[in-house]
Amino acid sequence: MTQTFTHDDILRYLYGETNAQESQLIESALASDEALYQFYRQNKELIGQLHNITLEPPQRVVDNIMKYARRRTYHPVD
């Protein structure tokens, strides 16, 4: 019987969330199903691009926050 894999299965495989047996079955499916393989390749590339996302705000944003903070008047509560 041929195993059918979903896109969720492929994503689990890409993130290393499949066991050895599942991984082997998925790899066989990728070798024989062009559409599934294309989904795998596209998502592997996207996952690679996620690592290039900048996790710091632009300097302009930091400058605006600092300017706002300097304008604020601090009134301590007695």
Side-chain angles (χ1 to χ4, degrees):
M1 180 176 159
T2 302
Q3 174 77 33
T4 303
F5 292 100
T6 66
H7 288 171
D8 287 342
D9 295 323
I10 302 305
L11 292 174
R12 286 187 321 106
Y13 173 75
L14 282 166
Y15 281 102
E17 297 175 355
T18 55
N19 62 39
Q21 182 181 7
E22 287 177 304
S23 294
Q24 187 177 18
L25 291 170
I26 289 172
E27 288 165 5
S28 294
L30 290 172
S32 62
D33 184 332
E34 182 65 27
L36 199 61
Y37 180 71
Q38 288 303 319
F39 179 82
Y40 163 81
R41 281 183 37 115
Q42 290 170 350
N43 282 278
K44 185 173 181 172
E45 183 179 330
L46 288 173
I47 289 168
Q49 291 174 1
L50 287 175
H51 298 291
N52 296 327
I53 293 176
T54 302
L55 300 176
E56 296 178 11
Q59 188 60 44
R60 170 185 56 79
V61 172
V62 174
D63 292 343
N64 285 339
I65 291 170
M66 296 304 291
K67 187 163 79 172
Y68 175 79
R70 284 190 292 273
R71 288 187 304 192
R72 302 270 308 168
T73 304
Y74 178 67
H75 298 287
V77 178
D78 292 332

